Amino acid sequence: MTCQEQHARWNRRLLRAWLLLVGLTLVSLVAVLGFGHSEAGLAAAAVALAASFLKARAVLDHFLDLRRAGSGWRGFFYGSLLFILAVLLATYVAAGR
């Protein structure tokens, strides 16, 4: 594979990651703005947090190249993300009471 082919492949990968991030941002936006103030507020928050997890994972995997790291590192970062998002969801639920 030539340097130019590698560069083109890298650009395509980054473009796909960027498009994924934009799409997930739109999903979060629609969920929160469309349903955040209704009775489906908890579901909207859960959808937004799930999209946030996928976005953070995409950034870690594609831009910080965590996909090449060992399973221990990936597990640590993904576990940390899940913990933080669970705390945020619990805080949202507690604030609604």
Side-chain angles (χ1 to χ4, degrees):
M1 181 178 289
T2 67
C3 184
Q4 195 172 31
E5 290 170 336
Q6 264 185 323
H7 187 67
R9 185 176 176 200
W10 179 253
N11 282 342
R12 283 191 304 272
R13 193 178 121 220
L14 290 179
L15 178 63
R16 282 192 306 266
W18 182 79
L19 290 171
L20 175 69
L21 293 173
V22 170
L24 289 170
T25 299
L26 293 174
V27 167
S28 296
L29 186 67
V30 168
V32 172
L33 292 181
F35 304 103
H37 299 293
S38 67
E39 293 178 7
L42 180 59
V47 167
L49 290 174
S52 297
F53 173 77
L54 294 173
K55 286 171 58 175
R57 188 173 167 185
V59 168
L60 288 171
D61 285 347
H62 296 289
F63 295 101
L64 299 179
D65 223 10
L66 188 64
R67 64 188 171 83
R68 294 185 188 191
S71 61
W73 280 110
R74 284 192 313 269
F76 171 74
F77 279 105
Y78 297 157
S80 298
L81 281 171
L82 287 173
F83 175 74
I84 291 167
L85 295 174
V87 168
L88 288 172
L89 185 61
T91 303
Y92 179 82
V93 169
R97 293 182 180 203

